């Protein structure tokens, strides 16, 4: 599909859904009209159509993402058997290390979280399912970017790089140096680059038969990460990646 090809109804629907997906509370029609730059007559026709199909739901005078859209979205995981393979490996990791495990895919320069297995103790998370984060700011993004060929990597990385915390990598040179380390060690790492007080380790899974480029990670508060636990975490997340890769990654 060429970049200038456009179906207005689909584009407008996409804009509406992106606004709703970015909010935790119902969004009123007037706010949607302003955010999507739509006349109210057009907006209400689209909202009625989406509500009939349960892609959106009406709540407290506004609109939310609907249950049918969630059901459709989960097919993304079922196509490759990702969901079953991930939760099997992640469950073993949680039993052994008692830390959260996350699965994410690369979409342009964004990391999109698509599955998670929670630990049996509270942890401050930044990985709501469906959430997007800039790839250079997290361990997951680093291992995914490191898997790209040079041309694809150069085309993906923006300039300048956006800051998330004071520790986030700020230049292309700094990112490329970090990606060289990832390729040497097979492990991505971020030290409070995504969230203050949180350390993450990630390992690359591979590209699935339907083209998803995926990786797994774990996030640990800095105050409980001693040397022994760090070693267990690093080896454990590698095992999770190998397990998922053996079950879902397309043969080279």
């Amino acid at each position: 599909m060429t970049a200038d090809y456009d179906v207005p109804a689909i584009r407008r629907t996409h804009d509406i859904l992106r606004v709703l997906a970015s909010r935790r509370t119902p969004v009123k029609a007037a706010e949607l009209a302003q955010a999507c730059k739509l006349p109210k007559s057009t907006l209400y026709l689209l909202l009625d159509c989406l509500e009939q199909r349960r892609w959106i739901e009406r709540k407290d005078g506004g609109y939310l993402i609907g249950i049918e859209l969630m059901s459709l979205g989960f097919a993304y995981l079922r196509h490759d058997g990702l969901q079953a393979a991930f939760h099997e490996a992640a469950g073993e990791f949680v039993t052994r290390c008692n830390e959260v495990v996350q699965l994410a895919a690369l979409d342009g320069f964004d990391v999109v979280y698509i599955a998670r297995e929670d630990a049996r103790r509270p942890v401050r998370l930044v990985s709501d399912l469906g959430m997007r984060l800039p790839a250079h700011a997290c361990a997951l993004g680093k291992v995914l970017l490191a898997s790209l060929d040079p041309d694809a990597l150069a085309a993906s990385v923006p300039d300048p790089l956006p800051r998330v915390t004071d520790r986030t990598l700020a230049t292309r040179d700094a990112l490329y140096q970090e990606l060289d380390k990832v390729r040497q060690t097979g492990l991505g790492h971020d030290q409070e680059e995504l969230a203050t007080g949180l350390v993450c380790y990630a390992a690359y899974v591979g590209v699935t038969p339907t083209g998803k480029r995926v990786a797994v990670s774990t996030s640990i508060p800095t105050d409980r990460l001693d040397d022994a636990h760090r070693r267990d975490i690093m080896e454990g997340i590698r095992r999770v990646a190998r397990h998922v890769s053996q079950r879902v990654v397309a043969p080279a």
Side-chain angles (χ1 to χ4, degrees), residues 155-235:
S156 298
V157 179
D159 191 18
L161 298 175
R163 286 276 196 180
V164 181
T165 74
D166 291 341
R167 291 176 177 259
T168 307
L169 300 175
T171 67
R172 280 191 172 205
D173 285 345
L175 175 60
Y176 290 160
Q177 290 176 16
E178 187 78 3
L179 298 184
D180 284 340
K181 295 177 183 176
V182 171
R183 296 183 190 104
Q184 292 167 14
T185 63
L187 204 68
H189 173 222
D190 81 71
Q191 180 77 33
E192 301 182 87
E193 296 164 47
L194 185 61
T196 301
L198 207 62
V199 175
C200 300
Y201 292 93
Y204 181 59
V205 172
V207 180
T208 71
T210 57
K212 303 177 185 69
R213 189 175 295 269
V214 294
V216 292
S217 76
T218 184
S219 305
I220 311 101
T222 55
D223 59 5
R224 68 166 180 253
L225 191 62
D226 57 29
D227 289 343
H229 194 40
R230 182 182 290 105
R231 287 192 296 271
D232 289 344
I233 289 296
M234 292 167 67
E235 179 52 35

Side-chain angles (χ1 to χ4, degrees), residues 9-18 20-21 46-58 63-73:
I10 293 177
R11 170 171 45 80
R12 291 163 180 164
T13 298
H14 178 77
D15 291 344
I16 291 168
L17 295 176
R18 287 297 296 270
L20 296 182
L46 289 170
L47 291 176
D48 286 345
C49 183
L50 292 172
E51 188 179 4
Q52 288 173 23
R53 287 158 178 79
R54 302 173 74 192
W55 283 32
I56 64 173
E57 298 173 2
R58 203 180 322 210
Y63 295 88
L64 297 164
I65 292 292
I67 193 166
E68 177 65 13
L69 195 61
M70 184 198 75
S71 298
L72 293 171

